[in-house]
Amino acid sequence: MPIESLLPADSPRLEGLNEGHVRALAESGAAFEPILVHRATGRVVDGMHRLRAAMLRGEHRIAVRHVDGAAADLFIRSVQANIGHGLPLTLGDRKAAVLRILMTHSHWSDRAIAAVTGVSPKTVGVVRGKRSTEESPQSNSSVPRVGRDGRARPADMPERRQKARSLLAERPRATLREVAQEAGVSVSTAHRLRQELRSCTAVPDADERRPAAVAVAEDSPYLASLVVAASQRCTGLTSIQPPQDPSSRGTTRIRVRAMDTLSNDPSIRFTDSGRALLRWLNVQAQGLAAGEQLLAGVPPHCARALTEVMSHYAREWERLAAGMQQADPMNGSWRAVR
């Protein structure tokens, strides 16, 4: 398209274009990826640095890729594109984007907004809380919010889940249906929470793993698909997902049985070193559950470094397990075999 026919982007960058980055692009000599342009208005959605660099080169036309959608949704599309490539948005840019999205899409959940802005759900919650306090001292928890999977859920789901956990701990013989009805959650959620209590490991909600189904009427299909796409792109970063095949449930049962065996073995249970081992193993299980929450705050550009750290720890665990398998159960210790 002719460069002069394009309208400037509604950029999420508080400081505007980075002239140094523009010059670096112009002097690189490389061909640019097509910029994103809103088909109906001709407004740039993503690619202002490339557009400016093309102008510095003296070019009069630039390759574009058209996108559709409501004009009100273009800012969100621009934010999502800018956290995925090119010059990263600053933390201030992303927090400002969170506030702006909350003004137009307050029905989105914290995790949905975090997925498209590259911040943690906790950060979104803090910004939402400040905005709610400034504009209205009473927040309306009855209004549903749209999650990363495109489904609408009550805004007070964390409180409902906590109530369900308390009921399961206080009344272990209560049926799942009774707990679900009293806490205001689904039976599947109550079942998941019971699994967590028994295994000391957080089990992701099935609804969070399910593909998008029905988005609420406030969002166009274009915008709903954007949230789901961002969520799928960050799936490996924001949560520890268990294997999807049925054998994962068998693996969990094997681990629980193995822990029971260790806990009931006198040589473990009645020795200081054995009890220390059990406490250490329990800490590891709790650490996995805590890690799932911590990973939710990891920005996409840190994924590679985090993957290297996690892979290193996984290899060390495999090395320790391999050493245990080589131990002589009758004579000689694991230390001797190593």
Side-chain angles (χ1 to χ4, degrees), residues 103-114:
M103 294 172 65
T104 58
H105 297 77
S106 60
H107 59 285
W108 278 16
S109 72
D110 292 349
R111 289 183 179 275
I113 295 177

Side-chain angles (χ1 to χ4, degrees), residues 69-146:
D73 301 338
L74 295 183
F75 178 76
I76 297 176
R77 184 69 177 84
S78 178
V79 173
Q80 186 270 333
N82 276 280
I83 68 169
H85 64 82
L87 187 66
L89 296 177
T90 66
L91 181 58
D93 293 337
R94 286 177 276 142
K95 285 185 176 180
V98 168
L99 179 59
R100 181 166 169 180
I101 294 173
L102 282 170
M103 294 172 65
T104 58
H105 297 77
S106 60
H107 59 285
W108 278 16
S109 72
D110 292 349
R111 289 183 179 275
I113 295 177
V116 297
T117 55
V119 300
S120 70
K122 183 178 179 180
T123 297
V124 178
V126 170
V127 176
R128 187 193 295 272
K130 289 181 179 179
R131 176 174 177 270
S132 177
T133 301
E134 293 173 356
E135 296 186 359
S136 174
Q138 296 181 348
S139 61
N140 187 0
S141 61
S142 63
V143 177
R145 292 180 186 166
V146 180

Side-chain angles (χ1 to χ4, degrees), residues 18-30 32 49 53 56-57:
N18 184 308
E19 292 299 334
H21 187 58
V22 170
R23 288 194 297 271
L25 289 175
E27 295 169 1
S28 67
F32 298 144
H49 284 103
L56 285 182
R57 290 178 176 180

Side-chain angles (χ1 to χ4, degrees), residues 93-322:
D93 293 337
R94 286 177 276 142
K95 285 185 176 180
V98 168
L99 179 59
R100 181 166 169 180
I101 294 173
L102 282 170
M103 294 172 65
T104 58
H105 297 77
S106 60
H107 59 285
W108 278 16
S109 72
D110 292 349
R111 289 183 179 275
I113 295 177
V116 297
T117 55
V119 300
S120 70
K122 183 178 179 180
T123 297
V124 178
V126 170
V127 176
R128 187 193 295 272
K130 289 181 179 179
R131 176 174 177 270
S132 177
T133 301
E134 293 173 356
E135 296 186 359
S136 174
Q138 296 181 348
S139 61
N140 187 0
S141 61
S142 63
V143 177
R145 292 180 186 166
V146 180
R148 295 180 299 170
D149 58 359
R151 290 176 172 269
R153 297 181 179 84
D156 61 344
M157 277 306 296
E159 291 79 6
R160 297 188 185 197
R161 293 192 187 101
Q162 186 57 47
K163 182 177 181 180
R165 289 189 186 93
S166 300
L167 292 173
L168 289 168
E170 296 168 1
R171 293 153 47 187
R173 295 186 180 277
T175 66
L176 293 176
R177 190 170 298 278
E178 291 172 346
V179 172
Q181 184 173 2
E182 189 168 343
V185 299
S186 65
V187 175
S188 62
T189 296
H191 176 67
R192 176 178 60 84
L193 295 174
R194 175 170 284 177
Q195 285 183 301
E196 288 183 6
L197 291 174
R198 288 176 175 175
S199 64
C200 296
T201 303
V203 179
D205 194 329
D207 287 341
E208 287 295 318
R209 301 193 302 268
R210 189 177 301 156
V214 180
V216 294
E218 291 93 329
D219 291 335
S220 64
Y222 165 82
L223 198 59
S225 64
L226 172 63
V227 179
V228 176
S231 174
Q232 291 173 343
R233 186 183 65 256
C234 299
T235 295
L237 310 177
T238 57
S239 62
I240 300 175
Q241 301 290 354
Q244 298 300 303
D245 58 87
S247 63
S248 63
R249 293 190 294 271
T251 303
T252 299
R253 287 194 294 268
I254 292 173
R255 179 178 60 80
V256 171
R257 284 199 300 268
M259 283 296 296
D260 289 340
T261 300
L262 290 172
S263 300
N264 295 323
D265 191 300
S267 62
I268 297 291
R269 186 175 182 179
F270 298 117
T271 62
D272 291 339
S273 61
R275 287 191 294 269
L277 173 64
L278 292 176
R279 287 194 297 269
W280 179 71
L281 290 173
N282 284 327
V283 168
Q284 303 310 310
Q286 295 168 7
L288 287 174
E292 181 178 1
Q293 302 300 320
L294 294 174
L295 289 177
V298 176
H301 65 273
C302 294
R304 187 180 301 276
L306 180 61
T307 300
E308 291 296 330
V309 174
M310 296 173 68
S311 298
H312 169 75
Y313 287 143
R315 289 192 295 268
E316 288 300 300
W317 272 100
E318 290 178 350
R319 182 181 64 80
L320 293 175

Side-chain angles (χ1 to χ4, degrees), residues 1-8 35 37 41-44 51-52 54-55 58-66:
M1 290 186 66
I3 290 178
E4 62 270 16
S5 68
L6 301 175
L7 297 175
I35 65 174
V37 175
T41 63
R43 184 172 296 279
V44 176
L51 179 64
R52 183 68 173 272
M55 295 171 65
E59 299 175 0
H60 300 286
R61 299 180 67 85
I62 190 170
V64 305
R65 181 159 61 89
H66 284 118

